Structure formats: structure tokens, C-alpha cells
Amino acid sequence: MQNRLTPKVWQLAKLGDISSDISYGYTASATSEPTGVRLLRITDIQNNAVNWPGVPNCEIDAEKIEKYRLKPRDLVFARTGATVGKSFLLVGDIPKAVYASYLIRVRCLDDISIEFLSSYFRSPDYWSQITAFSAGIGQPNVNGTKLKNLSVPIPPLAEQKVIADKLGTLLAQVENTKARLERIPQILKRFRQSALAAAVSGRLTEEWRDSAENQDFDPLEIPASWTATSIGAVAEVKGGKRLPKGEELVSENTGYPYIRAGQLKNGTVITGQEGRNAQLFITGAVRKVISRYTVNAGDAYITIVGASIGDAGIVPESHHGANLTENAAKITNFNVGLEPSYLSIWLRSEYLQDIIRLETKSAAQGKLALSRIKTLPLPLPPIEEQTEIVRQVDQLFAHADRIEQQVNNALACVNNLTQSILAKAFRGELTEQWRKDNPELISGENSAAALLERIKAERAAAPKGKHSRKVLA
């Protein structure tokens, strides 16, 4: 049987017809006791690898071990749950281990390249079949019968090996590229923190200031022309307010937005689609009760409790007059020349964030008290220099943002590239020239049709009691 989307010399077969074994795993509870037999579960397969020392053990009768024991070149499939259809090829040294009941093991016949088959189980064509198998089912699953009936393109054996080799090389290059791209956001994060550190220590504007004279101001040195002060000395610190008991936020735009902690990100107030950062509102009646706990555009904010404690930024014009959560404080009513964006730079710098981490670590409830915020240090440049610092930091951050966007675009392309390469491989496009150069390896006794006929004949000749194929339904 031939697939019209593949080369004429290829055939199409059912997985059950080219496998010596398709069977369910062993039902047992995982244990940390040293039983001598490990139990491989779906969750033990991460990033296409297994950390065997971390795989738990299980109790199993000695006479059952051989039936379920894993060996090199075994393929295991997740048959249910969020990872249904995910497969893994076991290679290298494998400890004494069996596989759990939510996995299905596949062993293919010698006339089929297991590396070729493993690669096919990552392809778009394979995943479209898995999706079709699970359609209309509440809990997606693939049982042994469905897997046995999976359609697999079968090239001649020599071409299978060439495809597997080419994919091994190409996909390794793609993964290496992806890994390098995924490291860049962390590099950019360090770059942004370095820019903030240089800004609040005066190094960023040293040439602009034309002075290198410094003074000590724990935890850093600052220019002698700057003022060493505290946040409470230059502004008021006020808390937000929770909703009155029994009241809830509403999604309808009442004209009274309520800023939640999940919206206080990236130095501003965000409005997203997720539950934590979606914009919600209070009713007019609630507004009357908590009307004193609003923010103005240009106020600074800082979160004072929770996992994101210390997140800081400036309230944008879009949220002028909004009510503020009790999980954050506002810094407002500046009584000296203070550029709000410069204050945000200081609040987000590692110097101040380290102080906040130490403070909340020692606090009984892990909360940043308003009184403590007032005593936080503030290195204060002249207003003209603050403006210059903000200009340069904005310029550096904009450069980092452009790079990050380019990286995200590149990552999207790389992720698509993997599936594109796999699709080409199993349409025969990667080996088109190889077939032209090696006609003797894809015809006659070396053809895919002859290969499947040999498998069929071997099955027919096999003693009934020793039939090579086994499916546990």
C-alpha cells in the first residue's frame, strides 16, 4: 500500500505489522525503597531524556520482570493525559527497570530502523493521527489497538537509515541554535540590571557630569554632587486598600479601575488577558468607601507582599485615579525635584532590591512595612542629571527590547523549523537526490515492497505459539 504524499518507492504500513511487541506497562506504586527495579513513568521523561538516578523503584515479582523489563532501542509512549502520544527512544546503558502502566512499549522488527521510527513519532503526520485518535474523547488517550493501527510510511531500509542520520544531524543543529537563543533573555536581563546599576551609581553619566569625585552611601558609592537621602525624606508613602468585606471586583467597565498586584510589572501597570493581570473594576458604591486610596499618574508604586514583593514602577496616565491594591504602596507628593522615572530606576536596581530581600527575609510575615519603605536609601542627583539618566536608560532598554523581540521571532522560526524538517523528511524530500544516486538500494530485493513482503512471510512462517507480535489490549 502506497501513500500518495510519499515517493513511489515507499510503502505505507500499520505499526502493528512492523512491530514485534506493543504492550502496556506494569501497574505498581512507586517507592523509594531499594527494591533493585526502577519504575519508569511518564513524568520521568523530561526534555527527551531520563534522569535514571531520579526514577523511583517498585515492587515486582521476579517472574514478571523479564516481561516488562526495558532494553535499549525500546520505544515507550504516553497513552493518556496531557502528554498523550509523546514518545521516547531508550538508548545507552539502562538500569534494571520496568515501565509503568500509563506507558506503552513498542519494539520494532529488525527490518525497520528504530531511529527512523522514533523520528517519525515526532512528525506532523504522526501527531495529526494522534489528534484524530483522541477526537471527541473527554480524557485524551491512545490504547494499544489504536497504536497498532497507526499508519507509518516505510521507505527501503537503506533510505530509512539515511533519513535517520540526516535528521539526527539537522535536528541537533536546530536544538543547539534554540539553546543559544534561549540563553539570550538571561543575558539581556543582566544587561538591564547592569544599566540600572551604572545609572544609580553615577557611572552612566560620569562623562556628562564631567566629574569622578565620589562619596560613600551604603550600599554603594555615589557622586559627591548627589544628595544622600531617604525615600521618606522626599515623598509620602501610602498604602493601598482592599475591598470592603463581601464586595467583589467586576469585569464591566464602571469607570473605576482597580489595580491588582499582578498588573504591577515591567516598571508600569499592565493590562493583559490572563486572570492575574486582566483589568477589573469596582462599583460606584465601593468607590465611595475607598475613594482615598487612589493613585495619580507619575506616582511610584512598590509591591509589599507576596512572591513578587519589591516589584516597582511608575503609574501611567492610563491608570490615573485608579484604586490601588492593599498589596502595594504608592510613593507620592514629592517635595523636592524628583523625576518619577529616575525613582523607578532606583527602586528596580539590584542595590535596592537586595535591601528589600534582606528586609523581607528577616520580617516575621515576609512583608515590606510602609514605615520601612520610608527609611529606604535614595541617592538623589540634581534634577538635570536625573533627566539625563532617564534618557540614557530608556535608550539602553529600548535597544535590549529590540534584541529581545528579534530573539523571540527567531525562536518562533526555529520551533517551526523542527516540524518543517520532519515533514520534509517523511515526504521523502530530504533524500530525493540520494534516491537518484542509489537506485540499486531502493529497488528489487532492497525495495520497501520487498521488505514488507519478507516481514509478512516471516510472520506466516512463525510458529503460532511463538508469534512475534504481541498486543496487550
Side-chain angles (χ1 to χ4, degrees):
M1 183 168 55
Q2 183 189 329
N3 183 347
R4 63 183 179 84
L5 297 178
T6 57
K8 292 181 179 180
V9 296
W10 289 21
Q11 297 290 308
L12 196 64
K14 300 296 184 184
L15 181 60
D17 293 333
I18 59 173
S19 302
S20 61
D21 177 86
I22 300 178
S23 55
Y24 293 137
Y26 180 64
T27 301
S29 298
T31 178
S32 58
E33 294 298 317
T35 64
V37 181
R38 297 192 182 275
L39 180 68
L40 182 68
R41 305 159 302 173
I42 294 172
T43 52
D44 296 317
I45 303 170
Q46 299 292 333
N47 301 319
N48 205 35
V50 173
N51 177 30
W52 285 108
V55 176
N57 300 313
C58 73
E59 298 281 355
I60 181 171
D61 295 337
E63 62 270 17
K64 292 182 179 180
I65 293 177
E66 192 57 32
K67 178 180 179 181
Y68 296 102
R69 186 163 183 176
L70 291 169
K71 299 177 181 179
R73 300 174 65 78
D74 281 352
L75 267 168
V76 290
F77 290 77
R79 67 182 182 92
T80 189
T83 58
V84 63
K86 178 182 176 181
S87 64
F88 178 69
L89 175 62
L90 288 105
V91 295
D93 295 330
I94 300 172
K96 193 174 185 179
V98 298
Y99 58 108
S101 57
Y102 285 132
L103 291 172
I104 296 177
R105 180 184 63 194
V106 172
R107 288 174 174 166
C108 72
L109 298 169
D110 292 340
D111 289 316
I112 302 296
S113 164
I114 190 66
E115 292 80 12
F116 170 85
L117 201 57
S118 176
S119 296
Y120 176 70
F121 294 141
R122 299 173 59 189
S123 71
D125 184 54
Y126 163 75
W127 281 109
S128 68
Q129 293 187 69
I130 294 297
T131 301
F133 287 158
S134 301
I137 301 175
Q139 174 72 7
N141 72 83
V142 176
N143 59 34
T145 301
K146 289 177 180 178
L147 203 57
K148 180 181 68 171
N149 289 318
L150 188 85
S151 295
V152 181
I154 305 296
L157 182 57
E159 189 173 358
Q160 292 178 36
K161 295 176 179 178
V162 172
I163 289 172
D165 288 344
K166 283 181 175 289
L167 284 175
T169 300
L170 290 172
L171 295 183
Q173 292 172 348
V174 171
E175 287 303 312
N176 287 337
T177 300
K178 183 179 178 181
R180 289 197 295 270
L181 288 171
E182 288 175 338
R183 287 195 293 269
I184 293 177
Q186 282 301 316
I187 295 172
L188 290 174
K189 182 178 180 180
R190 291 195 296 270
F191 169 79
R192 291 186 179 101
Q193 278 302 324
S194 295
L196 294 178
V200 299
S201 64
R203 297 194 307 274
L204 188 63
T205 46
E206 188 172 334
E207 288 187 11
W208 178 91
R209 190 174 55 254
D210 195 23
S211 172
E213 187 178 350
N214 287 335
Q215 60 175 312
D216 288 329
F217 181 53
D218 191 42
L220 71 164
E221 284 192 345
I222 62 173
S225 58
W226 291 17
T227 301
T229 186
S230 66
I231 289 176
V234 301
E236 295 181 27
V237 178
K238 297 182 178 181
K241 186 69 173 178
R242 71 175 62 201
L243 298 182
K245 187 175 181 180
E247 299 291 347
E248 294 183 354
L249 296 171
V250 298
S251 57
E252 179 188 357
N253 188 346
T254 63
Y256 303 116
Y258 187 89
I259 301 173
R260 298 180 294 157
Q263 294 177 261
L264 303 176
K265 297 290 181 184
N266 306 326
T268 187
V269 179
I270 63 174
T271 299
Q273 302 300 318
E274 299 178 9
R276 292 187 73 249
N277 58 38
Q279 184 61 65
L280 298 179
F281 301 85
I282 56 176
T283 63
V286 171
R287 172 72 168 204
K288 290 179 181 179
V289 178
I290 59 174
S291 59
R292 293 192 301 116
Y293 300 93
T294 59
V295 292
N296 296 320
D299 284 348
Y301 68 76
I302 184 167
T303 56
I304 60 175
V305 71
S308 300
I309 191 167
D311 278 357
I314 299 300
V315 176
E317 193 65 43
S318 60
H319 284 76
H320 178 79
N323 277 85
L324 181 65
T325 173
E326 76 278 10
N327 296 323
K330 65 177 180 179
I331 303 172
T332 187
N333 297 334
F334 309 141
N335 57 39
V336 296
L338 179 57
E339 172 66 46
S341 294
Y342 170 77
L343 178 58
S344 173
I345 289 170
W346 169 244
L347 293 174
R348 289 183 289 151
S349 72
E350 276 300 303
Y351 294 116
L352 193 73
Q353 289 295 313
D354 284 344
I355 295 173
I356 291 173
R357 279 189 285 269
L358 287 172
E359 175 68 23
T360 54
K361 187 176 181 180
S362 61
Q365 297 180 341
K367 185 175 182 179
L368 186 60
L370 300 185
S371 58
R372 181 65 179 102
I373 296 174
K374 295 176 182 178
T375 66
L376 291 174
L378 173 64
L380 186 64
I383 189 65
E384 296 83 3
E385 191 166 358
Q386 292 180 42
T387 302
E388 178 62 16
I389 288 171
V390 170
R391 186 190 69 79
Q392 292 197 35
V393 169
D394 285 349
Q395 194 175 61
L396 292 170
F397 273 39
H399 180 59
D401 291 344
R402 285 193 297 271
I403 294 174
E404 193 161 41
Q405 184 59 55
Q406 291 168 355
V407 169
N408 290 337
N409 292 341
L411 271 172
C413 291
V414 168
N415 289 332
N416 291 334
L417 184 59
T418 296
Q419 289 304 305
S420 176
I421 290 172
L422 287 166
K424 286 178 178 290
F426 296 104
R427 289 197 301 264
E429 295 176 23
L430 291 186
T431 44
E432 183 176 359
Q433 186 59 47
W434 181 90
R435 287 193 299 275
K436 292 178 181 178
D437 295 339
N438 299 277
E440 73 283 359
L441 297 179
I442 61 174
S443 58
E445 289 300 309
N446 293 325
S447 68
L451 181 152
L452 292 180
E453 284 299 321
R454 284 197 301 274
I455 291 175
K456 185 178 179 180
E458 290 169 3
R459 287 188 182 283
K464 188 174 182 181
K466 297 182 180 179
H467 201 284
S468 61
R469 181 180 49 161
K470 176 176 58 177
V471 179
L472 303 181

